[in-house]
Amino acid sequence: MPSVLELATSQDDREGGGGIDFPPKRILLPRDTFLSAAVSLKNQVVEVTWKQRRNEDIGVDQTVYTGLLGTALTCLRSYEATGNHQDLLLCSDIVDTCTIAARASHRNLTFLCGRGGVYALGAVVSHYMGDPQKLDLFFNLFLQAAQEKALPIGPEEGGFGMSYDLLYGRAGFLWAALFINKHLGEQRLPHDLLMSVVDAVLAGGRTGASDNPDCPLMYRWHGTRYYGAANGLAGILQVLLHFPLSKGDADDVKETLRYLMSKRFPHSGNYPSSEGNPRDKLVQWSHGATGMGITLCKASQVFHEDREFRDAAIEAGEVVWKNGLVKEVGLADGVAGNAYAFLSLYRLTGESVYEERARAFGTYLYHSASELVAARTQVGGDRLYSLFHGLAGTACLWFDLLEPEKSRFPGYEL
């Protein structure tokens, strides 16, 4: 198969929220084609981000989000899909390199943008490699990071020093913990350790919403009340929905979701990026219907007696279908991320139309990723191969299209 960067097809770029038109009669690719494409693209990502740079100083960006650790997570996803042990070795080698810098850093504790991702991924890959000594090393490093005093501090104790969002805050730390428990066993991390952070997140949300009687939970990131997955409510609620909540806490999560649903733009059904923002243009994971739709799918599973969340998730999926062929390829702001809205709906509803829509977006990327990436080669650098802003996210999507019932948005769904 030719390199994805060598493939070229015509595309119709439209200004505004619609992004790029999808040719309605394009034949959907079979699953074995997605497999070969995914393996080839994963190899390209490894070559550019790891093999060509392993002898350089790679201290620039080692995060899951836009850096080297995203390559490691892509290799783990490849291993899960193919069983190729070489992918595990690659993942382990990359994590080892990132660990050196992480242990010398006191920056974020999150999965996507901090030490939490290094240690969580290190523990999981060591588990799959059958290396109990390295597993203990990474697990203990994670436990040490979890002793950060700001994590369980609520607002009444001055706990506004650490943010609450998924990319940089407490929700991102909790997601890393959930990732460990998913792969190593639900009780691997102490329940009390995690629930103390959950309680702090809920307390911070209530304080942040104290001036709004219609919304029980609200958070600010750099002074702005964001709604989306990366830095806003959708991402924080996505994490909270994975924990056992009291009736009062669960009711606050429900009412916050309803508040978000009430803020949809009346004509498009899309979601604003932040409180009071009138700009109806962004349809992606970071901001807009994609991230909200995936969170609503999770809410529908947790609160299955409340049909409104399922209906809202389906409506969000319709917004993505109409507007989701944007001008990027990655998970955060691109076509690959938008395809996961359909995979989430497929798992929720079992309706084949959503699997077909995800394949349609995957097929589009197979034919058009080259032009989308070529337009940004002058400014993108290694980000063009990253997980959330580049081609690694496309590779993960193609792997997930092989078994859509097992698909999970990397770093967001468990």
Side-chain angles (χ1 to χ4, degrees), residues 221-300:
W221 190 72
H222 287 227
T224 300
R225 297 178 174 187
Y226 286 102
Y227 289 167
N231 299 115
L233 269 173
I236 296 168
L237 296 176
Q238 171 79 1
V239 172
L240 291 176
L241 286 165
H242 286 82
F243 287 93
L245 302 176
S246 69
K247 184 180 185 305
D249 293 341
D251 286 344
D252 280 353
V253 169
K254 286 184 186 181
E255 289 304 315
T256 303
L257 286 165
R258 291 176 179 132
Y259 178 79
L260 284 173
M261 289 155 56
S262 75
K263 294 298 180 179
R264 284 173 286 190
F265 291 112
H267 297 296
S268 69
N270 192 29
Y271 289 79
S273 61
S274 59
E275 185 85 22
N277 191 328
R279 185 170 176 256
D280 183 7
K281 187 176 181 179
L282 302 177
V283 180
Q284 53 200 40
W285 174 81
S286 297
H287 305 289
T290 302
M292 271 303 305
I294 294 171
T295 294
L296 287 165
C297 284
K298 180 63 181 178
S300 180

Side-chain angles (χ1 to χ4, degrees), residues 305-337:
E305 71 281 2
D306 294 294
R307 178 78 187 197
E308 62 192 306
F309 300 126
R310 179 188 177 97
D311 292 342
I314 290 171
E315 290 173 14
E318 293 303 311
V319 174
V320 178
W321 179 243
K322 294 174 183 176
N323 300 277
L325 283 172
V326 291
K327 299 178 183 179
E328 304 283 349
V329 299
L331 296 177
D333 307 321
V335 179

Side-chain angles (χ1 to χ4, degrees), residues 110-130:
T110 66
F111 184 83
L112 293 178
C113 293
R115 288 177 286 152
V118 180
Y119 303 150
L121 189 53
V124 169
V125 72
S126 299
H127 169 69
Y128 284 123
M129 291 186 69

